[in-house]
Amino acid sequence: MLRILLIIVPLFLWAEGPAPKASLVEVAPLTQGEVKRLQSFVGTLYFNQKSDLASETSGKVTKIFFDSGDSVKKGTLLVSLDSAILDKNIQAAKESLAEARANYTKSAKDMKRYKTLLQDQSIAQSEYDTVRFATTGFSSRVNALKAQLDALLIEKKKKGIYAPYDGIIASRNVDIAEWVNAGSAVAQIVNPYIADITVNIPEAFVNSVTPDQTIDVKIGEKNYQGKIKGIIPVGNKNTRTFPLKITLKSDQALYEGMQASIALPNAAFEKALLIPRDGVIKRFGQQVLFFNANGVAQMVPVTIIGFFQDKVAVESPMLKPDMQVVIKGNERIFPNMPIQPKN
């Protein structure tokens, strides 16, 4: 019996406790105005950066440092090709260059000595000219061999295939010991963080968008900020639609082929109920607003149909003009909660 009383008494005291304190909020009336109704369009997401990585030289694959699905950083070595013969040619070029430099150094010293002898009239001009021309020849030889070595080193670098940017390997097209020719694709890499979206829009909406305009894009359940690149002026003659190009960046990996939706305003105006944009918030996975019902917050799901300056146009069968809508403090209130509008 004692245990039962211990449970009943706290419940009784709680039921008789003070009423919840009213939350202080700021309200504004619903007004009527004219807006251009938003119309939704669906498009498809494509990767902005998608590359087939090809070999610039021929050779046998000796090492592979990646697999499909791997994330790689720009400059990461992906594939190495056999360079044994090229390495020997590089070694020979270095030896030839060292010899040429030694000959040039010796000839330059001789020319300096012969110049002094010529000034002292100890040798003929022809002897000095012979040494001077030889020195010039050695200098040219050094430059030619240096260029040849640089070309071989460039070719050596091309024996490795590197990631051109941060991305994910979409496919691997080569295996160890395979022979690849110049131009053969060894892998495909994509950048899943930068995307292009193509949306076909009717002719009536073409003039409602401008290049570099910021636009809301919904992909899955997440909203993104995209930027309009422009409209391709070649449309579909059957549907009378034109491709609208939008680009966006994401912190999370996107997937090519995903559905993306946007909303564009119609050309014609129509009457609508307007409130400040802060009056609409997302709650329970939908757009809602709260209005003051004699000191109690009532929640109404709404549909956003357009925007006008700093206001948003909404519609719902439960809304009427002059209703007092909560525009500040709505993020901390719940349905049927007492509220106190600021004076």
Side-chain angles (χ1 to χ4, degrees), residues 97 99-108 110 130-145:
L97 178 60
E99 181 184 3
R101 282 174 171 165
N103 290 334
Y104 169 74
T105 300
K106 179 180 179 302
S107 185
D110 289 344
T130 299
V131 175
R132 180 168 62 85
F133 291 144
T135 303
T136 301
F138 286 129
S139 176
S140 297
R141 175 67 174 164
V142 168
N143 291 335
L145 289 174

Side-chain angles (χ1 to χ4, degrees), residues 2-16:
L2 179 59
R3 291 182 179 178
I4 296 175
L5 289 175
L6 288 174
I7 296 173
I8 292 175
V9 171
L11 289 174
F12 173 79
L13 292 175
W14 175 80
E16 293 296 326

Side-chain angles (χ1 to χ4, degrees), residues 22-59:
S23 181
L24 197 62
V25 297
E26 185 176 334
V27 297
L30 277 174
T31 59
Q32 284 190 319
E34 288 189 335
V35 296
K36 294 181 179 181
R37 179 181 288 268
L38 293 174
Q39 183 170 331
S40 296
F41 297 96
V42 175
T44 304
L45 183 148
Y46 301 93
F47 289 133
N48 180 275
Q49 292 180 317
K50 181 179 180 180
S51 307
D52 290 324
L53 303 182
S55 173
E56 294 186 62
T57 61
S58 299

Side-chain angles (χ1 to χ4, degrees), residues 37 57 72 77 95 103 105 157 184 186 206 209 221 238 243 262 264 271 277 292-294 298 312 317 323-324 338-339:
R37 179 181 288 268
T57 61
V72 295
L77 178 62
E95 296 295 336
N103 290 334
T105 300
K157 188 174 182 180
S184 299
V186 299
V206 168
V209 296
E221 295 300 320
N238 296 323
I262 63 170
L264 297 176
K271 290 184 178 180
R277 297 195 183 200
N292 180 19
N294 297 321
Q298 293 296 326
V312 58
M323 290 178 69
Q324 298 297 305
I339 57 175

Side-chain angles (χ1 to χ4, degrees), residues 304-321:
I304 296 177
I305 63 171
F307 297 94
F308 179 73
Q309 297 177 354
D310 62 342
K311 295 187 177 182
V312 58
V314 296
E315 66 178 5
S316 168
M318 299 177 62
L319 299 179
K320 296 179 181 179

